[in-house]
Structure formats: C-alpha cells, structure tokens
Amino acid sequence: ELQQKVEETELLKMELQMLETERVRLSLVEEKLMDVLQLLQQLRDLNISKRALGKILLSTLESCRDPQPGKAHLFEVLDTLYHELTACELLQSQPLEKAQRRQSLSNPLVISC
C-alpha cells in the first residue's frame, strides 16, 4: 500500500510538472499575442491600408507554412508576425516621442477576467 502511494505521488508530481510547463508556454504565447495586438493597434492608429496589412499577414503565413521541428507552431507564427509588423515602414517612420507616449498609456487591449 505504501509503494502504491509512492507511485501515485510520483505520477502527481509529473502531472504537476507538465501543467507548469504548459502554463509557462501559454504565458509566453499570451505575451507575444499582446505584443502583436499592440503593434496592430498602433498601425490602425497610423491608418495602415488593408492591402499593406494583408501583405504582412500573407508574408507571415508564407514563411511559417512548414513548421520548424521542436518549435511550437503557434508561437512561431506570432513571433514571425511580430517581426513583420515591427519592420513595417509606418512604424519605422513614426516619431520616437509619439511611440514612447503611446507605450506609456494604459493598455486598452487587456481584458480582466
């Protein structure tokens, strides 16, 4: 009976470790998604054309067509989209003070549960 309890404890520890790993992964995805949403908000405020935004999205999807082994595909797509958005000319030409002022404002994208 004691051996069975030890085995159950080990299984629960492994399960807890897997849950913690998944929690960290989801936290990273959430953080990257928030970064992408903030960039999209900035681009919307700068009146980016739908055509330009569509090109960025298609470029992202094209470069992420074949998932890289060992990398979470969702995170890879978000990360690539983030880099594509940061390379956007509208954001590059935005004055530094304006960009810093926008970042200092409270985040309108945060949803409290």
Side-chain angles (χ1 to χ4, degrees):
E1 191 174 314
L2 184 60
Q3 180 63 28
Q4 185 180 2
K5 292 289 183 188
V6 168
E7 289 172 3
E8 285 177 14
T9 304
E10 289 301 317
L11 284 174
L12 288 173
K13 282 181 183 178
M14 287 190 328
E15 214 172 296
L16 183 62
Q17 187 176 7
M18 287 172 38
L19 286 173
E20 181 62 22
T21 302
E22 184 66 11
R23 187 194 65 76
V24 168
R25 186 188 72 77
L26 288 174
S27 179
L28 291 172
V29 168
E30 179 184 27
E31 187 176 305
K32 187 57 74 172
L33 181 59
M34 290 301 298
D35 292 342
V36 166
L37 290 173
Q38 286 176 340
L39 286 172
L40 288 171
Q41 179 103 30
Q42 287 178 6
L43 287 170
R44 186 192 71 187
D45 292 344
L46 294 171
N47 295 321
I48 188 171
S49 71
K50 291 179 183 178
R51 183 182 184 110
L53 193 56
K55 284 182 180 180
I56 292 171
L57 184 57
L58 288 174
S59 173
T60 298
L61 294 175
E62 181 65 29
S63 64
C64 295
R65 186 183 338 186
D66 300 320
Q68 295 181 6
K71 202 171 184 187
H73 188 61
L74 175 63
F75 188 81
E76 180 185 355
V77 172
L78 285 173
D79 192 46
T80 303
L81 180 57
Y82 175 80
H83 290 295
E84 292 277 341
L85 290 170
T86 55
C88 181
E89 290 178 16
L90 275 175
L91 287 176
Q92 299 298 324
S93 63
Q94 184 181 20
L96 185 59
E97 308 112 28
K98 194 174 182 181
Q100 287 174 340
R101 187 172 56 239
R102 278 214 177 109
Q103 288 176 353
S104 68
L105 296 174
S106 66
N107 186 349
L109 299 174
V110 174
I111 300 171
S112 62
C113 298

